[in-house]
């Protein structure tokens, strides 16, 4: 219900740019441009074990940071299209020109149940759906496969360091048992709204790899994409 009221509210309340607060527009041209750079390979320092190759559309800061927070925490759901377009670019940078068999499977990293309930939506999943739609418009047969589940509660990640986040998330995710065979239908790209330490994506990659024989192919050559990553992850390029 909360998510539904936010959708209706976005239609009747005066809009302000999610990036800079400029009135009468949900996203101004300047802030939209911050999402349209060339996606790059990013790596956090330290890099957690098991982290797949990650591409990001933009550094996390200024307007990009404001847009992601507005979408995630303040219910600016109309920003999902622009954020999804940026994510689609990062996915494409990691996979290259499409020529594979089967659909490209975008597997979002799930939010904690408490966070999803408080926000009224799952930000990563919503952005992933927008990214899949954009990829299809570009001729890539993409779809979202929300098969990851949290099998135990985790602490709030804010304020935790890299090592603390890894410990907090270790073993927290699992592929839903009835969905394991779906991972074999095409190449898998793990997706999230942002990358800080890489702990969430590393845990998601572990869960996919541990899903069993049906996911063996999916775990091979696994890649990941995010809308934004910390500026330091952009500064260190060790391709």
């Amino acid at each position: 219900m909360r998510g539904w009221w936010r959708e209706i509210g976005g239609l009747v309340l005066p809009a302000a740019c999610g990036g800079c607060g400029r009135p009468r527009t949900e996203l101004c041209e300047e802030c939209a441009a911050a999402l349209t750079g060339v996606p790059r390979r990013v790596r956090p320092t330290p890099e957690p074990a098991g982290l797949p190759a990650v591409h990001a559309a933009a550094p996390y800061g200024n307007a990009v940071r404001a847009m992601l927070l507005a979408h995630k925490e303040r219910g600016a759901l109309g920003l999902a299209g622009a954020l999804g377009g940026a994510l689609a670019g990062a996915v494409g940078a990691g996979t290259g020109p499409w020529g594979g068999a089967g659909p490209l499977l975008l597997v979002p990293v799930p939010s904690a149940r408490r966070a999803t309930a408080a926000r009224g939506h799952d930000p990563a999943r919503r952005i992933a759906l927008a990214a899949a739609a954009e990829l299809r418009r570009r001729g890539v047969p993409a779809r979202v496969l929300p098969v990851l589940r949290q099998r135990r509660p985790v602490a709030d990640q804010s304020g935790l360091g890299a090592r603390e986040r890894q410990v907090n998330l270790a073993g927290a995710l699992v592929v839903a048992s009835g969905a394991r065979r779906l991972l074999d239908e095409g190449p898998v790209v793990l997706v999230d709204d942002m990358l800080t330490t890489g702990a969430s994506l590393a845990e998601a990659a572990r869960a996919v790899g541990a899903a069993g024989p049906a996911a063996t192919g999916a775990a091979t050559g696994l890649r990941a994409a995010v809308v934004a990553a910390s500026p330091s992850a952009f500064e260190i390029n060790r391709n």
Side-chain angles (χ1 to χ4, degrees):
M1 286 294 292
R2 184 173 301 170
W4 183 78
W5 277 111
R6 282 174 172 168
E7 297 272 13
I8 296 299
L11 297 175
V12 299
L13 297 177
C17 174
C20 65
R22 183 178 299 177
R24 298 186 180 278
T25 177
E26 192 164 43
L27 183 61
C28 72
E29 291 183 5
E30 290 83 353
C31 291
L35 294 170
T36 59
V38 178
R40 288 173 50 189
R41 171 79 182 273
V42 291
R43 282 174 163 157
T45 303
E47 185 173 347
L51 181 69
V54 186
H55 281 75
Y60 183 70
N62 302 323
V64 173
R65 177 181 182 275
M67 284 183 277
L68 284 168
L69 289 177
H71 175 262
K72 177 184 285 188
E73 305 294 354
R74 297 196 296 278
L77 305 183
L79 294 174
L83 296 172
L87 180 60
V91 170
T95 58
W98 182 252
L104 187 63
L105 305 174
L106 306 187
V107 177
V109 176
S111 299
R113 294 187 185 94
R114 290 191 303 272
T116 299
R119 293 169 180 150
H121 74 122
D122 186 326
R125 182 172 180 176
R126 184 178 290 270
I127 294 172
L129 289 167
E134 176 60 26
L135 287 165
R136 290 193 296 271
R137 282 191 289 270
R138 300 179 187 182
V140 178
R143 63 187 180 94
V144 176
L145 198 63
V147 297
L148 290 174
R149 302 286 185 272
Q150 286 200 333
R151 62 180 176 186
R152 64 169 177 80
V154 296
D156 185 351
Q157 295 274 82
S158 60
L160 299 182
R163 178 57 183 163
E164 293 169 319
R165 289 187 179 212
Q166 291 176 40
V167 172
N168 183 43
L169 292 174
L173 296 180
V174 64
V175 172
S177 58
R180 292 176 181 177
R181 60 180 178 79
L182 299 176
L183 291 169
D184 223 23
E185 294 182 0
V188 171
V189 181
L190 301 172
V191 295
D192 206 350
D193 56 354
M194 67 170 294
L195 175 143
T196 49
T197 66
S200 296
L201 287 171
E203 170 57 19
R206 183 210 61 78
V208 168
T216 301
T220 303
L222 190 65
R223 292 183 177 273
V226 295
V227 175
S230 59
S232 61
F234 276 85
E235 293 168 3
I236 300 175
N237 193 339
R238 297 169 293 191
N239 284 338

